[in-house]
Amino acid sequence: MVEWLRDNPTVLALVRVLVFVVPILLLVPGFIWWERRLLSWMQDRIGPNRTGTFTIRGRKIRTFGLLQPIADGVKLFLKEDVTPNTVDRVLYFLAPMVALFPAFALGGTLPFAPWLHESPGEAGMWAMWTPIANVDIGILYVMAISSLGVYGVVLAGYASNNKYSLLGGLRSSAQLISYELAMGVSLAAIVMASGSLKMTEMVRTQESALWGAFPWIQNWFLFTPFGLVAGLIFLICMVAETNRAPFDLPEAENEIIAGYHTEYSSMKFAVFFMGEYAAMFVFGGVFATVFLGGYNLLPVNWAACAESIPSMAGFFDFMGKLNYYGAPAWFLLKCFAGITFYIWLRATLPRLRYDQLMSLGWKTLLPLAVANFIVVAIWIMGNAAYPPFGGLVAAGAAAILVVLLYLNLMALQKKGTTSLEKRQVALVDPAPARRSVTMVEPGRRS
Amino acid sequence: MDTNLMVFGAMAGIACLAAIGVVAFNNPVRSALCLVVNFFVLAFIYFALNAQLLGITQILVYTGAIMVLFLFVIMLLNLGAPQALMEKRDSKPLLGVVVGAGLAGLIAFQVLYPMMATQAPPRAANDFGTPENIGRTLFTTYALPFELASVLLLVGIVGAILLAKRRIG
C-alpha cells in the first residue's frame, strides 16, 4: 500500500490533503462544543451539558453534552432554507463556498510532523504524509490564502442585498486589509531570522540551541525578543483575520444584526460557521509552526540532553522517540491551545470600536512590526560583520533608537492635533461611600 | 495528448473565459470577480511553469490585496444599476478593437515565432523560480533596476498620501 502510494504521487497528494482536511472537518463540532462549554464556565454558567445523556437499564451515561453540536448540525440541516427574493442569486450561493475554501486551503504548507529528520527511528517516517506541499514559498502561501478569506465575507455582504450585510462586508474588507500588513511584516522578520520561507525549515531552525548558547533547549521563536514581539503582533492580527472577538466587527450583533450572514440560514449559515472554526484551528497551527516550534512537544533537545547527561540517556532517548512518533498529536495539541486562546479572548475582551480597530492596526501594530523588522535586519548585519556580540549590540542600539524615534513622532503628532474626546463617567456625588447609611424601615414614617 | 498540456489547457481556458467575463458582464461586482478568477488561475499557470514566487506574488498582491480594494470601492459606491454603466456609442470601441488585435498579434508572434524555429528554444533551469534564486538575481545582477523600482513605489506611496490627506484649516 505504502509502496504503491509512493509510485503514484498524484494519489499520494490527494491522500495527504485528506489526511489534513478530514480531521479538521471531524473536529469542528468538537470545537463548537468546547467553545460553548468553556465560555459558559468562564461566565459562570453551565452551558450545554444535557444532550447525549442516555439511560440504559436505569443507569445514566453522561457525555457532558458532547452530542450537542451533532444535534445542532441536524437542526441546521433540517431547518427551512430561506433565500430572500432580492438577493443576487449566483453570488449568494457562491459566497459560503468561497468562505470555506481559504480556511481549509490555509494548511497546505503546514508540516504537522517532522519532515526528513535525523531522529531516533527511521528517518522521514512522516515525510510521506506531511506537509501537503513542501514548497519554497510556504509562509507566503499562508499569507496569500489568508488574504483570500475576505472574499467570502464581502460576497455574502454584497449578494444579500441588505444594508447591514453590506456594512459587515465593508468592515471586513477594511479590517483585513489593515491587519494583513502588520501580519506580513511581523512574519517577514521571522523569515529573515530563520533564513527560509519553507515551513519545514522554519521549524528546523527553531530546533537549534536557544539563543545559540544553550544546546539543551530549543530556540522557539517566541523565546527570542524579536520573536516575542512578532508573535504578539501575529497573534493579534490572526484574531483580526478570522473575524473573531474582539475583532468581530463584521458581525457585531448590536450594531448590524449579524453582519454579512444576516440573510443566511440553514446549511449556508452552517458553512460560514464551519469555515470560521476551521480557520481558527489552522491559524492556531500556523502560529504553532512559526513561533511555537511546530510539532515538538517541549522546547527541549532530547539528543543534546542525552549527550550531556549520559546517566539519563535512556529516558531522554525515550522522550525523543515520544516526541518524534507522537508529533501529530503534539501539533494537534498546539492547535487546540490556539482555539482555547481564541475562546478565552472572546470571554475576556469587549468588542473594539471601529476607530480603535483602525488605530490599533495602523498606528500601533504596523509601526511596531516594521521596527521589529528593522531591528532584526540590523541584528543579522551586525552578526555577520562582528561575529560574537556585534549583532546584539547593534540590535540593542537600533531598538533604542527606533523606540526614541517613535516616541518623538508621537509627541510631534500630539502637538499638532487635538485628541478625540474622552468618555468618562462623572459621579453626581463624588464620595457616596463615605455617607453614613441611613435605613428607613418600611413601617415607620418620620 | 500529455497531461501537462491538458492541465495547461484547462487553466488557460478558465483564465480566458474569466477574462471575457470581465468585459462582458454588466454588473461591476461580477466583472471584478471574474478578474479575481483570472488572476487566481494565472497564478496556477505560473506554478505549473515552476515560477513559484511569481505565482504566489500574483495571488498575494493582485488577488489578495488589489482586487479586495477594487471590490471595496465598488461596494462602497454601490454601483448597482447597469443602465447607468452602459457606454455611449463612439469611436472608442473601434480603437480598442484595433489596439487589442495589434497586441494579440504581437504576443502571437512572440509565442509562435520561436516555435517555428528549427532548433529547440533554450530551457530555463528547473529552480529558476524559487525565492532564493530570484532574490539573488535581484540583488546582484539587477540591483539598480530593483532599487529604481522601489524608489518608484515609494514615490507612489508618498503621492497617495499627499492626495488622500485632507487639508486642515
Side-chain angles (χ1 to χ4, degrees):
Chain A
M1 178 70 189
V2 169
E3 292 306 314
W4 181 78
L5 274 179
R6 232 173 236 142
D7 293 338
N8 291 288
T10 323
V11 183
L12 180 62
L14 200 67
V15 169
R16 276 200 210 126
V17 172
L18 289 181
V19 163
F20 191 86
V21 168
V22 170
I24 298 180
L25 275 174
L26 291 179
L27 280 170
V28 162
F31 299 149
I32 294 169
W33 174 81
W34 175 237
E35 160 145 51
R36 292 184 64 186
R37 287 307 299 259
L38 195 65
L39 264 186
S40 59
W41 286 331
M42 284 176 176
Q43 296 168 346
D44 230 353
R45 296 183 284 118
I46 297 171
N49 66 344
R50 300 300 167 93
T51 317
T53 304
F54 307 104
T55 312
I56 298 172
R57 290 191 192 151
R59 279 184 60 187
K60 266 190 176 175
I61 301 169
R62 292 201 169 81
T63 54
F64 315 105
L66 257 175
L67 292 187
Q68 180 70 42
I70 310 285
D72 281 344
V74 170
K75 181 198 77 177
L76 280 171
F77 260 117
L78 298 178
K79 254 178 135 175
E80 187 191 354
D81 192 356
V82 182
T83 305
N85 266 335
T86 52
V87 295
D88 185 333
R89 294 229 162 217
V90 180
L91 299 183
Y92 181 80
F93 282 101
L94 218 58
M97 298 178 222
V98 175
L100 200 58
F101 161 71
F104 285 101
L106 198 60
T109 54
L110 285 186
F112 58 77
W115 196 82
L116 286 186
H117 236 241
E118 298 91 353
S119 53
E122 56 191 289
M125 178 185 115
W126 295 113
M128 238 178 97
W129 309 109
T130 182
I132 295 173
N134 188 29
V135 281
D136 280 329
I137 42 166
I139 197 78
L140 281 179
Y141 172 84
V142 170
M143 284 296 301
I145 299 296
S146 83
S147 68
L148 296 182
V150 71
Y151 282 111
V153 176
V154 164
L155 282 187
Y158 174 79
S160 294
N161 202 7
N162 173 333
K163 289 279 186 291
Y164 295 113
S165 298
L166 189 68
L167 274 177
L170 283 177
R171 281 181 176 194
S172 171
S173 52
Q175 180 175 324
L176 258 91
I177 291 168
S178 313
Y179 280 79
E180 214 151 73
L181 291 169
M183 192 173 174
V185 178
S186 77
L187 282 179
I190 297 296
V191 166
M192 277 209 299
S194 69
S196 177
L197 289 163
K198 265 188 187 174
M199 301 293 259
T200 46
E201 284 300 314
M202 289 176 100
V203 178
R204 295 208 55 178
T205 320
Q206 295 182 64
E207 286 169 354
S208 58
L210 180 65
W211 306 329
F214 306 100
W216 311 284
I217 303 178
Q218 293 184 349
N219 192 23
W220 290 7
F221 280 128
L222 208 62
F223 298 159
T224 57
F226 64 87
L228 184 67
V229 176
L232 286 178
I233 295 167
F234 182 80
L235 205 61
I236 297 172
C237 291
M238 96 185 186
V239 178
E241 293 274 308
T242 39
N243 289 331
R244 286 281 301 185
F247 298 102
D248 57 347
L249 278 94
E251 42 188 313
E253 60 279 287
N254 45 6
E255 299 164 25
I256 50 176
I257 311 182
Y260 58 90
H261 55 64
T262 304
E263 300 289 0
Y264 283 87
S265 54
S266 185
M267 263 330 269
K268 291 203 206 71
F269 167 73
V271 167
F272 276 118
F273 210 58
M274 206 155 71
E276 185 179 320
Y277 280 84
M280 276 160 67
F281 180 76
V282 182
F283 258 112
V286 173
F287 185 79
T289 308
V290 180
F291 295 100
L292 283 180
Y295 38 73
N296 289 296
L297 172 60
L298 291 170
V300 179
N301 271 328
W302 300 108
C305 284
E307 224 166 81
S308 32
I309 314 177
S311 59
M312 287 176 72
F315 170 69
F316 289 135
D317 271 355
F318 169 72
M319 288 305 284
K321 281 209 172 77
L322 193 70
N323 194 31
Y324 181 76
Y325 290 110
W330 315 141
F331 189 72
L332 205 63
L333 207 68
K334 283 179 185 176
C335 297
F336 193 66
I339 288 241
T340 309
F341 173 78
Y342 269 109
I343 299 167
W344 194 358
L345 268 188
R346 182 176 168 186
T348 311
L349 295 175
R351 186 176 295 133
L352 292 179
R353 220 168 49 213
Y354 193 73
D355 61 317
Q356 289 171 335
L357 175 94
M358 284 295 144
S359 73
L360 176 67
W362 288 99
K363 290 185 183 166
T364 308
L365 294 182
L366 187 59
L368 197 61
V370 173
N372 191 35
F373 182 71
I374 292 170
V375 168
V376 172
I378 287 172
W379 172 62
I380 291 172
M381 282 285 287
N383 248 3
Y386 304 99
F389 295 109
L392 219 58
V393 174
I400 294 170
L401 259 179
V402 164
V403 169
L404 283 180
L405 191 71
Y406 183 70
L407 289 178
N408 209 6
L409 273 178
M410 282 295 108
L412 269 180
Q413 201 193 20
K414 224 168 232 168
K415 229 184 248 173
T417 56
T418 50
S419 58
L420 286 170
E421 58 159 329
K422 286 206 176 83
R423 294 179 189 182
Q424 59 182 23
V425 179
L427 293 173
V428 181
D429 186 348
R434 247 177 272 154
R435 269 188 318 193
S436 58
V437 181
T438 49
M439 292 202 40
V440 181
E441 278 171 39
R444 251 178 17 200
R445 294 242 171 90
S446 55
Chain B
M1 205 154 84
D2 62 339
T3 333
N4 280 341
L5 201 61
M6 271 162 65
V7 170
F8 171 77
M11 289 191 297
I14 297 173
C16 286
L17 281 182
I20 292 169
V22 174
V23 281
F25 274 120
N26 268 337
N27 186 336
V29 170
R30 290 212 182 153
S31 289
L33 283 175
C34 278
L35 200 54
V36 171
V37 172
N38 186 12
F39 284 156
F40 199 65
V41 177
L42 205 58
F44 281 90
I45 294 179
Y46 289 146
F47 287 143
L49 290 172
N50 252 344
Q52 302 173 353
L53 189 69
L54 186 61
I56 207 71
T57 312
Q58 170 90 9
I59 296 185
L60 197 62
V61 174
Y62 284 102
T63 319
I66 291 182
M67 286 319 292
V68 172
L69 270 178
F70 263 58
L71 267 185
F72 183 79
V73 171
I74 292 172
M75 281 169 55
L76 204 64
L77 299 179
N78 211 356
L79 299 170
Q83 288 83 8
L85 289 170
M86 290 293 264
E87 286 175 28
K88 271 181 271 172
R89 297 207 173 275
D90 53 7
S91 59
K92 258 185 279 175
L94 194 70
L95 201 68
V97 166
V98 171
V99 173
L103 193 63
L106 195 67
I107 293 172
F109 177 72
Q110 291 284 334
V111 172
L112 293 179
Y113 187 67
M115 284 171 87
M116 283 188 289
T118 45
Q119 76 223 36
R123 289 182 71 91
N126 244 355
D127 58 345
F128 79 102
T130 57
E132 206 182 331
N133 281 345
I134 289 183
R136 191 151 286 145
T137 319
L138 273 185
F139 282 104
T140 52
T141 321
Y142 300 106
L144 187 67
F146 179 70
E147 294 299 330
L148 282 179
S150 67
V151 169
L152 192 66
L153 282 177
L154 191 67
V155 170
I157 295 169
V158 173
I161 292 176
L162 263 181
L163 286 177
K165 204 148 195 174
R166 253 176 296 171
R167 216 175 282 275
I168 298 172

